């Protein structure tokens, strides 16, 4: 079908436990509806940072980040997060692969070196940042947002996603940057971003 996929050889050709991640990646290619299913996440009343990472990676079909010794261990700045160094992430579980992938792709703002806070609710400002950083969004018109100042470091990102109607405002033109969102809300937001980004291209 003229569809060619690249898979990191470190998770498919070496006899380590990373083969489980390799099998998972192949599964996502062959059976995307099953392996990228977010039905359970949509039911969450409040989405956590870990759940948002999983939902984002699955819905965008983002390839999993796998650790590279030279790049991730030796060349990274000493004060930045290195793959596997989050003290509050269970690296024997399932969430780590989505968290590390999302962090590596830069969709989380101002990440702590050793703590990801996976169980903390993801905020609306964090979602706006992720959308702006990942998607190739078209230009948007300026909008009035009463609870975000132009001096806010994420003002441009928030204004862009609101201007494109990917994320909305309250009737009082407030964005509620520190507000939480449900799984269904995140699903709708990501679906709109994917649609707008793909239609523009």
């Amino acid at each position: 079908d003229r569809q060619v996929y690249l898979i990191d050889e470190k998770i498919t050709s070496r006899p380590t436990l990373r083969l489980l991640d390799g099998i998972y990646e192949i599964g996502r290619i062959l059976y995307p509806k099953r392996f990228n299913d977010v039905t359970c996440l949509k039911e969450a009343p409040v989405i956590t940072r870990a759940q948002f990472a999983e939902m984002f990676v699955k819905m965008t079909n983002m390839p999993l980040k796998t650790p590279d010794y030279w790049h991730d261990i030796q060349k990274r700045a000493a004060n930045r997060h290195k793959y596997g160094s989050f003290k509050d992430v269970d690296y024997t579980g399932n969430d780590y692969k989505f968290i590390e992938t999302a962090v590596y792709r830069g969709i989380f703002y101002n990440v702590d070196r050793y703590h990801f806070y996976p169980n903390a609710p993801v905020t609306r400002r964090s979602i706006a940042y992720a959308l702006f950083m990942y998607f190739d969004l078209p230009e948007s018109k300026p909008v009035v947002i009463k609870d975000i100042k132009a001096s806010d470091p994420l003002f441009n990102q928030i204004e862009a996603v609101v201007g494109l109607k990917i994320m909305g405002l309250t009737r009082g033109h407030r964005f509620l940057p520190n507000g939480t969102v449900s799984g269904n809300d995140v699903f709708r937001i990501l679906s709109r971003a994917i649609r707008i980004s793909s239609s523009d291209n």
Side-chain angles (χ1 to χ4, degrees):
D1 294 330
R2 296 175 183 250
Q3 297 182 55
V4 179
Y5 297 87
L6 297 178
I7 303 176
D8 192 331
E9 60 88 19
K10 294 192 299 296
I11 59 173
T12 55
S13 63
R14 300 182 187 182
T16 70
L17 289 176
R18 289 185 194 167
L19 284 173
L20 295 173
D21 289 342
I23 293 168
Y24 181 81
E25 276 292 69
I26 294 171
R28 292 177 73 201
I29 293 169
L30 298 178
Y31 308 103
K33 289 183 179 179
R34 179 179 178 87
F35 283 81
N36 286 332
D37 182 56
V38 294
T39 303
C40 291
L41 295 171
K42 285 171 63 177
E43 297 172 359
V46 175
I47 283 286
T48 65
R49 285 165 58 84
Q51 289 172 324
F52 178 70
E54 180 177 353
M55 207 164 190
F56 202 103
V57 169
K58 285 183 173 181
M59 287 187 68
T60 60
N61 205 26
M62 186 185 295
L64 292 182
K65 161 66 178 167
T66 54
D68 178 81
Y69 181 79
W70 177 252
H71 180 268
D72 297 321
I73 306 300
Q74 294 186 348
K75 295 183 73 174
R76 275 288 179 95
N79 61 343
R80 293 183 61 187
H81 169 70
K82 298 175 183 177
Y83 192 106
S85 68
F86 285 132
K87 295 181 179 179
D88 54 1
V89 171
D90 180 9
Y91 286 90
T92 64
N94 190 52
D95 293 343
Y96 76 91
K97 58 178 171 271
F98 303 114
I99 292 170
E100 289 286 2
T101 299
V103 169
Y104 177 74
R105 291 298 294 265
I107 70 166
F108 280 96
Y109 177 70
N110 202 19
V111 176
D112 184 281
R113 182 180 179 187
Y114 293 117
H115 299 91
F116 180 74
Y117 308 104
N119 298 320
V122 70
T123 61
R124 286 172 53 81
R125 68 186 286 116
S126 294
I127 294 172
Y129 178 83
L131 298 172
F132 186 88
M133 294 303 294
Y134 182 78
F135 292 102
D136 185 14
L137 300 174
E139 291 289 325
S140 64
K141 295 180 180 179
V143 291
V144 175
I145 307 175
K146 292 189 175 179
D147 57 348
I148 301 289
K149 295 181 180 179
S151 59
D152 188 298
L154 299 187
F155 176 81
N156 292 332
Q157 290 89 335
I158 293 171
E159 184 184 48
V161 298
V162 171
L164 292 169
K165 297 184 179 179
I166 298 173
M167 297 181 74
L169 300 174
T170 67
R171 289 184 179 179
H173 293 279
R174 298 183 181 279
F175 181 71
L176 306 178
N178 296 317
T180 60
V181 291
S182 69
N184 206 35
D185 289 336
V186 172
F187 179 80
R188 288 198 300 265
I189 289 168
L190 282 173
S191 296
R192 283 195 290 267
I194 292 167
R195 186 171 62 251
I196 289 172
S197 179
S198 60
S199 64
D200 187 59
N201 295 323

